Amino acid sequence: MIIAIAVVVAAGALWCFQRSLSLPLQKLESFRNPVGMPVANQSTQNFLAPSPIQQVAKAAPKKTNTLTAAGVIAQTNVQRAANGNLPALAENATLDDIATLRLDDMFTQQYFAHVGPQGESAISVASSVGYAHLALGENLALGSYAGDAGVVAAWMNSAGHRANILDTHYTQIGVAVREGVFEGQESWLAVQIFGRPASDCAAPDADLENSINLSEEEIASTSAELESDKTVIAAMSPQSGPAYNAQVEDYNNLATQYNALAAETQAAITSYDAQVTAFNACLAE
């Protein structure tokens, strides 16, 4: 499974002002699967999975096949350092919990896949434990491997799993490994969960965005009122006198309010756009 980071920018016009609305707070999980698993994810629903690795080694002594979470994490970071000198992933307790819940569920329901019988997945578990993320990924392995280095090497020999291990957008990792009964045989199951927390990038101010939206509505309403008043003034006869002057004064007062709101909204949009730019730049890091 590999996460595809995509930034979507929508432009909205506010009279002569423009703003770019780009709030992909949670990036999508692209799990690649050569045999084509169904699509399912969070925001734009694009959930593709790499075929999990399954291997049975008949002759290896049992103790050489022992896996440890700490060892898998260490070997993962060895591979990152050796392939592009990438920064090490920090172990995260919540991601460890997600990996453990995924592993336990697969043993309990006897399935080996990124999406379970009831639709459960790394994404749904992350949501249930409150891990808000910009990026999320999962690698799975089942069978007998030559220890922690062996299972990581097997992942590295698979394009989709390798891409997860070397993805520059991930900053954290969680791992769960356990030996248990799967389809009647004792087997090791390993789960890697990769993530980048939402807290890594400051999201644009939702309250500011809402305020801009309300201002847009008020500007549109005021503009319509000004056009109506202008029509009334143009039709008045004579184009002078107390009644005419009063109507013009009302129009000018409303126009002053309109211009002040427009200037205030433009300043808010400039501020919001700066936040969007910073957010998108953070996502691209």
Side-chain angles (χ1 to χ4, degrees):
M1 162 238 9
I2 305 163
I3 304 289
I5 299 296
V7 176
V8 179
V9 178
L14 168 58
W15 298 99
C16 60
F17 319 122
Q18 285 191 320
R19 58 173 169 164
S20 56
L21 301 179
S22 177
L23 296 172
L25 299 185
Q26 296 185 316
K27 304 326 297 173
L28 303 185
E29 299 66 20
S30 293
F31 292 82
R32 293 181 185 168
N33 179 2
V35 297
M37 292 189 70
V39 171
N41 76 25
Q42 296 196 135
S43 297
T44 56
Q45 306 305 317
N46 191 17
F47 188 82
L48 304 175
S51 296
I53 294 175
Q54 185 168 358
Q55 177 185 22
V56 177
K58 297 180 180 179
K62 184 173 182 179
K63 66 178 181 179
T64 67
N65 295 336
T66 298
L67 303 180
T68 66
V72 170
I73 292 173
Q75 289 298 319
T76 298
N77 284 327
V78 166
Q79 293 295 336
R80 285 176 65 87
N83 292 272
N85 196 28
L86 304 177
L89 299 174
E91 183 175 8
N92 177 269
T94 302
L95 292 183
D96 284 339
D97 290 343
I98 294 170
T100 299
L101 289 168
R102 293 283 295 130
L103 182 149
D104 290 345
D105 190 55
M106 280 183 270
F107 270 130
T108 298
Q109 297 198 70
Q110 292 291 287
Y111 72 91
F112 181 57
H114 291 289
V115 182
Q118 312 303 320
E120 55 272 80
S121 68
I123 295 171
S124 64
V125 175
S127 177
S128 70
V129 301
Y131 183 81
H133 58 274
L134 298 171
L136 194 71
E138 179 182 70
N139 280 350
L140 305 177
L142 175 70
S144 179
Y145 297 89
D148 302 325
V151 70
V152 173
W155 277 324
M156 288 294 291
N157 288 329
S158 165
H161 301 88
R162 177 187 179 92
N164 267 344
I165 290 173
L166 302 182
D167 195 311
T168 59
H169 294 101
Y170 298 134
T171 59
Q172 298 178 336
I173 188 173
V175 169
V177 296
R178 180 161 67 83
E179 190 176 26
V181 177
F182 187 82
E183 295 182 346
Q185 295 185 347
E186 287 287 330
S187 299
W188 278 94
L189 179 59
V191 179
Q192 283 181 315
I193 301 294
F194 305 90
R196 185 182 184 190
S199 57
D200 271 10
C201 297
D205 188 340
D207 289 338
L208 179 59
E209 182 192 11
N210 184 58
S211 175
I212 291 171
N213 289 334
L214 293 175
S215 294
E216 286 180 337
E217 294 176 4
E218 185 175 353
I219 285 173
S221 174
T222 304
S223 176
E225 187 176 351
L226 285 169
E227 288 300 319
S228 177
D229 288 352
K230 186 188 298 184
T231 299
V232 170
I233 292 172
M236 292 182 71
S237 181
Q239 297 282 297
S240 62
Y244 177 85
N245 291 338
Q247 189 70 36
V248 169
E249 183 178 2
D250 288 344
Y251 176 89
N252 288 338
N253 288 337
L254 186 59
T256 298
Q257 296 174 28
Y258 173 91
N259 289 333
L261 178 59
E264 180 182 333
T265 303
Q266 183 177 20
I269 288 173
T270 299
S271 176
Y272 184 82
D273 281 350
Q275 294 177 21
V276 169
T277 298
F279 180 73
N280 288 337
C282 179
L283 290 180
E285 292 176 356

